Amino acid sequence: MKKLLFSIPFMLSCILWGQSPGGVNSELRIWLKANDGFSPSSWTDRSGSGNTFTQLNATRMPSLIAASPKNNFNPSVDFGPVNMPAQAKFMVVPTNGPYIANNIGNTMFLMISAKDLSGYQDYLGFGGTTTGAALVNANIPVATNNTNSNTAVQLYPVAGGNFTLARTLNKLHMVDFSYPFAGTTTSISAGLDGRTQMASASFTSNTARGAILGSQPEIAAADMGEIVAYQRELTAAEKVRVRSYLAIKYGITLSQPQNYIASDGTTVAWNSARNSSFNNNIFGLANDDGSALDQRVSNSINSGTILTVANNNDFTSANANGSRTSFVQNRTFLLFGDNDNTSTSLLDVPSALNPKGDKKRIQRVWQVEKVNDTGTTWLQADLSSYAINSNIFMMVADDPNFTTNLVKVPGVIVNGKVTFNYNFPANKYITFAGEIAQGTCQQCTGGKVFQFDTGRAWANGGQVARDNNEISNILLGTTSQGELRIVKMKSDYSADPSVEYAPRAYPSWIGGTWMLTRRYDNTNVVVKHSVELNQAVKARFQISNINKYLNNANFFTVKGYCDGVVVQPKVTYGYPVNNNTTFRIDPDNTLHGTRPFRGFTYLYSTANIVFDRPVQRIEIECRVERVNTLKTLRSLAWGQMTFECAANPDPNPDNMYMYQSFTTNPIFACNETTMMMRIINNNAVSKTININNTLPAGLAYVPNSYNDVELPANSPQPTYGGTLFSLNNLVIPPGDHTIYINVKPTANVSTTYQTQGSFTVNGNTYNSDGDPATPGFQTSPLQVLEGANVDTSKFKLTKTTSTACSKNGQQITYKLMIENNSGADVNGAVLEEDLQYGQSVQSYTLNGGLTGTPVVDPIGGTILHLKDLKIPTGTSYVEMVVNINDSYTNSNNTSLFNFFKVELAPNSPCGNGGAITSNIIDIALCEYCTKDPLTGTPDGFTKVGITGYSGIQNGWPGNIPNGFIAIESKNKGMVITRTTSGSIAKPIEGMLIYDTTDKCFKLYNGTVWKCITRSCND
């Protein structure tokens, strides 16, 4: 007896200062946890009382069931199958335990998932024990299945009719019983998931004569996760604390209304009175040292649950997995409860986040309650029952109607479920929204960004690729789903192969940046150019050459495809719209040439294409909107493509981000690239920011290249030059907006520059991010390859014409003088002249040692295109006779402009290819008409001459045909009579004077004097 008295104070001391369920430790006698101390032969008691349950018979040993969402990512113990006594399992505590006396108070909690709800199913009984394999009784009393209702748990031998709290088969439930004493009539409290009912009965309680957990002759077909028992009846407040601990740990929703209380007895983890509409399907994360509660991943175990929350991006591993982290601070909670609205019909998202009206949200809403700093939290939502399937985001607000402090948190779709990363501020409400897309392809994940150099790919493909108009199987890198590849890139001229221009030369790589493909025809054939990938991506790129030629306009339509369903891109101008812009963007996002390209920066003919929904295939349909039958050369330039895989952004309190990248990367040192600063405002209100972006030495901003076409009109403009860029008081509306500015290397070296901008909002400064796949804010590297521009300073092109004005149907001669002062011949150059408005080449000659081969026969056509051009040192010439045809009609009687272009090194990686352009010749429409001079043998020669020279040239004036008198002088003029027509008393027909009053030459026609003016001589 002394030994007993010695041991009891020692054990109580351990309990008092240790951990206990809900922090309730007084008289705790059994605490068995499947996640802590279980083996098939021994289940260690964590109560400090030494009541470890054991089983030495191998055939009767229970087994551990791995953690799963069914038990809120915690394990459980399997006590055997249904109706198979030979495989029934149990464990025991010997006589003299587990309590210190019989007929004393008792409170026990059991986490039970029943496999069978018929007949007695014994779970925990007192008053018996065994060391053998035979099934024996321990039922004074025993918690067992209720044979009266076949669903409730009964405290036998109390009559089953007293217990009616129904359970669900194969679902984990929290069962509890308590009574203050036994041996005489006593009150009994029975609980199921926080609901209680009372009974009154008289029974004996042999709680100090051994105990059996699991099967007795009435087998236990059940799994059990945790057993807690006290040798006294707990108070109502103590029961709430224990129930709160078990409910949070196992994802069970306590019967409402009742708060969830922490182990200190005062901290409210879930306030059921805050909004009673959301006391459903409660679950969450917790760290409560007093209860040894460390729940790092959680879901409600109720049917129909669609949300899981975790401390890391892992929604499958066990709660105890070593990769998971705990909340740092004790008694930290993040709990969720919903409005139990399971309707799959959708509601409109508030207009602040839904300017196009294409976003819908689900009706299920969660209340989120937070105690202490929870840090970054991950959520996963199974939205497969809803129609939204693209660009899904979580809505977070202060109220359940999402009107106050509304923000959105972008999601990433992984295996049909959507993940989110967010740092919850104070108590919030959340729901989920998105767009309804016909295609269901899912964007690759992992956050990586991949570059596809279209032009280089065609160059690498060589002649075989050009002959087949196709390149294929190009590895770009690895996503979370595996290798990302270009399945094929194709230029499809199958509708009419004859329209393809120079099939063996195109598609080609130009300027180290672009893929160029060309057509030469006068048809309405549609040519399609496409890229196909093996995974779905979001994409952005540029296309160029959107303009008019011979009044026939390029007409481009860009489409994406997701599972064969069309996806429309966002299309913007590559440069701010001005008088030099050569195209328009129609409401249906088609790109429509509006004017010829006149040699300005390529950006005037360039559009930005962004697919903000995932696509597997991108197609550009190239048409020519024809207003005449002139055969025209039309081109498409397709820039480097950027492919994005989804990643969850790192949360920040301002819900704003800036991602920095480049349209072309790598670039050659002789080229420019466009820096894209993509600014995302995930708030429902506009935010004002300041941006600073200092380039590393070796890079510089290109003057006059800033483009804010995606921002509201009249947005403030930046100050930039050299390496410095600053932009203040920029208002960013909700959504995704990109500003563009060109950057160029200042030195011809191969290196990689690390670039990074920053922005300030609400007094907080954030860096731009160049790698969403890596946590934190990474720099944006720009790789520069050595490449010097071809020196064109020793070359000059001068274009002249045989006339200053012309008219329809006339022929004129263009002459190009090429001056090569480099001291060496140039070989392999290219010359091109694209005649405007319908002029056609009649003939051409190369002089002065200039040689070259036509790419296509120019005679009768509108272009002169020579390849393999040899430009000798010194001066050489091209003379080209052109028929004006109906050009002035086609140009609405405006001037015809023309210029020659020579590329000294067309295969150079540099953007200009050593390009030189001549002066532009504008040939106006002659506003008068004359007959062409006669040709052939003259009728006679001039016989009389007056000269101011001291010596007469040999044969003069007799060598001047068809004249009567010839007058010449180097510095003298002929003066005719200067008077007024009214001064001539008797004019004679044909008389000529200079009228000093009317300031014109006048001729008397026999009737009146008239000033001489231009007119037709027909």
Side-chain angles (χ1 to χ4, degrees):
M1 193 65 177
K2 287 181 181 180
K3 181 177 180 181
L4 180 62
L5 291 174
F6 173 78
S7 63
I8 292 173
F10 176 77
M11 287 186 291
L12 289 177
S13 176
C14 292
I15 296 169
L16 182 63
W17 298 109
Q19 297 169 315
S20 54
V24 179
N25 51 35
S26 174
E27 304 293 349
L28 176 63
R29 298 295 293 176
I30 302 173
W31 192 11
L32 307 178
K33 299 186 287 183
N35 64 302
D36 182 14
F38 173 82
S39 73
S41 61
S42 176
W43 197 347
T44 302
D45 176 24
R46 297 304 186 189
S47 73
S49 300
N51 287 311
T52 294
F53 281 69
T54 60
Q55 177 55 267
L56 302 179
N57 300 282
T59 60
R60 296 300 189 185
M61 292 180 180
S63 58
L64 189 70
I65 300 174
S68 72
K70 177 184 175 182
N71 292 334
N72 203 27
F73 302 91
N74 291 296
S76 60
V77 177
D78 184 358
F79 281 88
V82 176
N83 293 327
M84 298 184 69
Q87 296 184 35
K89 316 297 181 183
F90 65 91
M91 305 183 90
V92 301
V93 167
T95 301
N96 297 327
Y99 294 180
I100 63 173
N102 298 319
N103 290 326
I104 59 175
N106 184 9
T107 304
M108 53 182 175
F109 300 84
L110 298 87
M111 302 303 302
I112 304 171
S113 175
K115 304 174 188 178
D116 187 2
L117 293 175
S118 59
Y120 289 120
Q121 304 277 331
D122 290 348
Y123 305 126
L124 174 63
F126 299 89
T129 188
T130 181
T131 58
L135 300 177
V136 299
N137 282 316
N139 54 10
I140 311 176
V142 60
T144 186
N145 187 59
N146 189 341
T147 57
N148 233 18
S149 66
N150 288 334
T151 56
V153 177
Q154 171 185 358
L155 185 66
Y156 181 89
V158 179
N162 291 295
F163 307 102
T164 58
L165 299 176
R167 293 182 294 162
T168 301
L169 187 68
N170 291 317
K171 181 183 178 182
L172 187 66
H173 287 281
M174 180 196 311
V175 175
D176 64 79
F177 293 100
S178 68
Y179 48 88
F181 53 83
T184 185
T185 300
T186 187
S187 61
I188 305 161
S189 172
L192 182 75
D193 300 338
R195 290 178 293 165
T196 59
Q197 59 181 180
M198 302 300 297
S200 179
S202 176
F203 61 94
T204 299
S205 177
N206 290 338
T207 48
R209 295 180 181 174
I212 296 178
L213 179 64
S215 293
Q216 301 179 27
E218 291 77 23
I219 64 173
D223 305 329
M224 290 187 253
E226 194 155 341
I227 310 297
V228 177
Y230 296 83
Q231 58 183 14
R232 67 181 179 91
E233 183 173 36
L234 302 187
T235 66
E238 289 173 324
K239 288 179 182 178
V240 168
R241 289 161 60 185
V242 177
R243 287 169 177 163
S244 298
Y245 153 70
L246 292 172
I248 294 173
K249 182 173 181 178
Y250 291 99
I252 287 174
T253 301
L254 295 179
S255 179
Q256 294 297 312
Q258 61 179 303
N259 292 343
Y260 287 42
I261 306 297
S263 63
D264 62 356
T266 58
T267 298
V268 179
W270 178 264
N271 184 353
S272 65
R274 180 182 170 214
N275 192 330
S276 60
S277 298
F278 294 87
N279 290 329
N280 308 289
N281 308 307
I282 300 169
F283 69 99
L285 307 178
N287 182 18
D288 189 348
D289 292 344
S291 294
L293 176 60
D294 185 12
Q295 197 63 31
R296 309 172 193 175
V297 57
S298 182
N299 61 196
S300 169
I301 67 167
N302 292 343
S303 62
T305 184
I306 64 172
L307 188 60
T308 303
V309 61
N311 278 345
N312 65 346
N313 190 9
D314 177 358
F315 304 96
T316 56
S317 300
N319 182 68
N321 186 278
S323 67
R324 300 192 185 280
T325 57
S326 307
F327 289 144
V328 175
Q329 189 174 349
N330 184 28
R331 290 191 292 278
T332 298
F333 300 89
L334 185 67
L335 299 187
F336 299 74
D338 67 45
N339 60 0
D340 206 28
N341 189 332
T342 59
S343 171
T344 57
S345 62
L346 301 172
L347 303 175
D348 288 333
V349 169
S351 59
L353 296 180
N354 191 20
K356 296 180 180 179
D358 59 344
K359 295 174 177 59
K360 303 289 184 180
R361 75 166 178 91
I362 69 173
Q363 296 191 50
R364 199 167 193 170
V365 177
W366 287 259
Q367 176 178 300
V368 185
E369 298 206 4
K370 170 183 169 179
V371 178
N372 294 323
D373 183 11
T374 58
T376 297
T377 304
W378 291 84
L379 299 94
Q380 182 188 74
D382 182 355
L383 302 175
S384 57
S385 297
Y386 301 92
I388 54 174
N389 58 6
S390 182
N391 289 333
I392 294 175
F393 56 93
M394 179 170 69
M395 296 168 56
V396 185
D398 291 349
D399 64 295
N401 294 319
F402 300 95
T403 60
T404 307
N405 292 327
L406 172 62
V407 301
K408 76 172 186 177
V409 180
V412 174
I413 302 175
V414 181
N415 297 325
K417 298 179 181 179
V418 192
T419 61
F420 306 88
N421 189 17
Y422 190 60
N423 189 339
F424 281 94
N427 299 333
K428 294 287 182 179
Y429 292 87
I430 66 170
T431 191
F432 301 99
E435 300 166 4
I436 302 173
Q438 297 302 310
T440 58
C441 62
Q442 293 183 6
Q443 183 185 7
C444 58
T445 60
K448 291 184 179 180
V449 177
F450 302 90
Q451 302 290 140
F452 174 47
D453 191 335
T454 55
R456 187 185 295 270
W458 282 100
N460 292 340
Q463 192 61 54
V464 173
R466 290 191 292 274
D467 288 344
N468 295 321
N469 281 327
E470 183 175 313
I471 52 178
S472 61
N473 196 31
I474 301 171
L475 177 64
L476 302 179
T478 303
T479 73
S480 297
Q481 288 70 38
E483 291 183 345
L484 177 65
R485 290 183 176 273
I486 299 292
V487 176
K488 63 181 176 181
M489 185 175 193
K490 184 177 180 65
S491 291
D492 184 1
Y493 289 91
S494 60
D496 184 354
S498 68
V499 307
E500 184 178 5
Y501 179 73
R504 290 187 58 79
Y506 299 97
S508 66
W509 179 34
I510 61 165
T513 302
W514 301 82
M515 180 272 280
L516 182 69
T517 181
R518 313 182 88 173
R519 63 185 290 174
Y520 185 53
D521 65 290
N522 59 359
T523 73
N524 294 315
V525 166
V526 178
V527 177
K528 298 180 180 180
H529 307 280
S530 61
V531 168
E532 184 177 338
L533 299 99
N534 66 332
Q535 298 182 37
V537 297
K538 291 187 177 181
R540 59 178 61 229
F541 54 91
Q542 293 180 323
I543 60 174
S544 195
N545 284 350
I546 317 166
N547 48 46
K548 269 188 176 181
Y549 176 49
L550 304 181
N551 271 349
N552 297 313
N554 271 347
F555 189 69
F556 295 158
T557 304
V558 185
K559 301 176 182 178
Y561 292 88
C562 168
D563 291 340
V565 177
V566 172
V567 177
Q568 297 292 344
K570 179 171 74 173
V571 182
T572 58
Y573 293 94
Y575 199 79
V577 176
N578 57 38
N579 290 334
N580 296 323
T581 303
T582 65
F583 69 100
R584 71 170 186 263
I585 301 172
D586 291 337
D588 61 355
N589 274 345
T590 55
L591 300 151
H592 200 124
T594 57
R595 59 177 296 166
F597 177 69
R598 296 196 62 169
F600 303 106
T601 171
Y602 71 93
L603 289 174
Y604 290 133
S605 288
T606 299
N608 303 314
I609 310 295
V610 177
F611 284 97
D612 57 6
R613 285 183 178 178
V615 292
Q616 299 148 315
R617 186 170 179 268
I618 296 168
E619 181 179 89
I620 303 175
E621 293 182 353
C622 298
R623 295 175 171 83
V624 179
E625 185 178 63
R626 299 195 178 277
V627 297
N628 53 54
T629 59
L630 298 173
K631 201 170 185 180
T632 53
L633 179 64
R634 302 280 63 211
S635 304
L636 166 70
W638 191 334
Q640 192 175 90
M641 305 182 74
T642 299
F643 301 129
E644 302 170 3
C645 293
N648 295 102
D650 293 332
N652 71 55
D654 292 299
N655 302 296
M656 291 197 69
Y657 304 88
M658 184 166 81
Y659 297 97
Q660 186 163 298
S661 60
F662 300 90
T663 56
T664 303
N665 191 3
I667 63 169
F668 289 90
C670 48
N671 290 334
E672 300 175 5
T673 184
T674 301
M675 174 190 287
M676 298 180 289
M677 288 178 272
R678 180 185 174 199
I679 305 165
I680 298 176
N681 178 7
N682 284 329
N683 302 280
V685 295
S686 296
K687 294 289 184 178
T688 300
I689 68 172
N690 298 331
I691 301 175
N692 285 285
N693 205 330
T694 301
L695 296 173
L699 295 177
Y701 290 106
V702 176
N704 302 317
S705 64
Y706 177 72
N707 180 8
D708 62 356
V709 68
E710 296 185 22
L711 293 178
N714 301 317
S715 290
Q717 297 299 291
T719 300
Y720 64 97
T723 62
L724 302 179
F725 176 100
S726 64
L727 177 55
N728 295 326
N729 300 316
L730 181 64
V731 177
I732 304 295
D736 189 334
H737 313 274
T738 300
I739 57 178
Y740 305 85
I741 187 169
N742 278 25
V743 170
K744 65 179 180 181
T746 57
N748 184 21
V749 294
S750 292
T751 188
T752 298
Y753 297 99
Q754 301 297 331
T755 71
Q756 188 165 49
S758 64
F759 70 97
T760 301
V761 57
N762 296 330
N764 299 317
T765 298
Y766 303 95
N767 287 331
S768 65
D769 193 1
D771 182 10
T774 303
F777 301 97
Q778 310 303 315
T779 59
S780 304
L782 174 62
Q783 183 183 0
V784 175
L785 306 175
E786 187 174 350
N789 275 315
V790 177
D791 183 7
T792 61
S793 64
K794 307 294 184 182
F795 297 84
K796 183 179 180 181
L797 304 184
T798 304
K799 184 177 181 180
T800 58
T801 182
S802 59
T803 182
C805 67
S806 188
K807 62 179 182 177
N808 288 343
Q810 287 189 342
Q811 288 192 353
I812 60 175
T813 300
Y814 293 124
K815 186 174 183 179
L816 175 68
M817 180 174 68
I818 305 175
E819 298 176 64
N820 176 3
N821 298 314
S822 68
D825 294 349
V826 173
N827 294 292
V830 170
L831 178 145
E832 187 170 341
E833 164 77 279
D834 298 335
L835 297 172
Q836 295 294 318
Y837 298 117
Q839 304 170 74
S840 62
V841 179
Q842 301 303 298
S843 65
Y844 73 96
T845 57
L846 306 180
N847 304 308
L850 187 70
T851 62
T853 303
V855 177
V856 295
D857 183 6
I859 305 305
T862 60
I863 59 174
L864 175 64
H865 189 184
L866 304 178
K867 65 178 181 177
D868 299 327
L869 193 70
K870 178 183 178 181
I871 305 174
T873 56
T875 303
S876 54
Y877 300 89
V878 180
E879 288 194 16
M880 180 171 61
V881 178
V882 170
N883 193 319
I884 297 299
N885 298 316
D886 293 328
S887 296
Y888 287 106
T889 301
N890 296 333
S891 69
N892 294 319
N893 294 329
T894 60
S895 295
L896 308 180
F897 66 89
N898 301 276
F899 62 91
F900 279 98
K901 177 180 178 181
V902 171
E903 291 185 48
L904 301 176
N907 295 321
S908 167
C910 297
N912 64 3
I916 320 165
T917 57
S918 72
N919 54 302
I920 295 177
I921 292 290
D922 279 290
I923 305 176
L925 172 66
C926 293
E927 296 179 355
Y928 57 94
C929 52
T930 60
K931 286 186 176 181
D932 291 334
L934 296 176
T935 59
T937 303
D939 292 337
F941 294 90
T942 305
K943 299 183 182 300
V944 178
I946 302 173
T947 180
Y949 292 101
S950 57
I952 299 175
Q953 302 175 48
N954 290 334
W956 186 88
N959 57 0
I960 298 177
N962 297 326
F964 174 75
I965 185 170
I967 302 173
E968 66 173 6
S969 175
K970 182 176 182 179
N971 52 12
K972 299 288 192 295
M974 183 182 72
V975 179
I976 66 172
T977 303
R978 295 165 50 84
T979 183
T980 62
S981 58
S983 302
I984 308 296
K986 294 181 178 182
I988 303 298
E989 183 179 358
M991 184 177 288
L992 183 69
I993 66 169
Y994 177 79
D995 193 310
T996 56
T997 299
D998 292 337
K999 308 295 184 186
C1000 67
F1001 287 102
K1002 281 190 175 180
L1003 176 70
Y1004 186 70
N1005 63 8
T1007 304
V1008 295
W1009 289 94
K1010 284 190 175 183
C1011 290
I1012 299 173
T1013 59
R1014 286 176 174 174
S1015 65
C1016 294
N1017 62 357
D1018 288 335

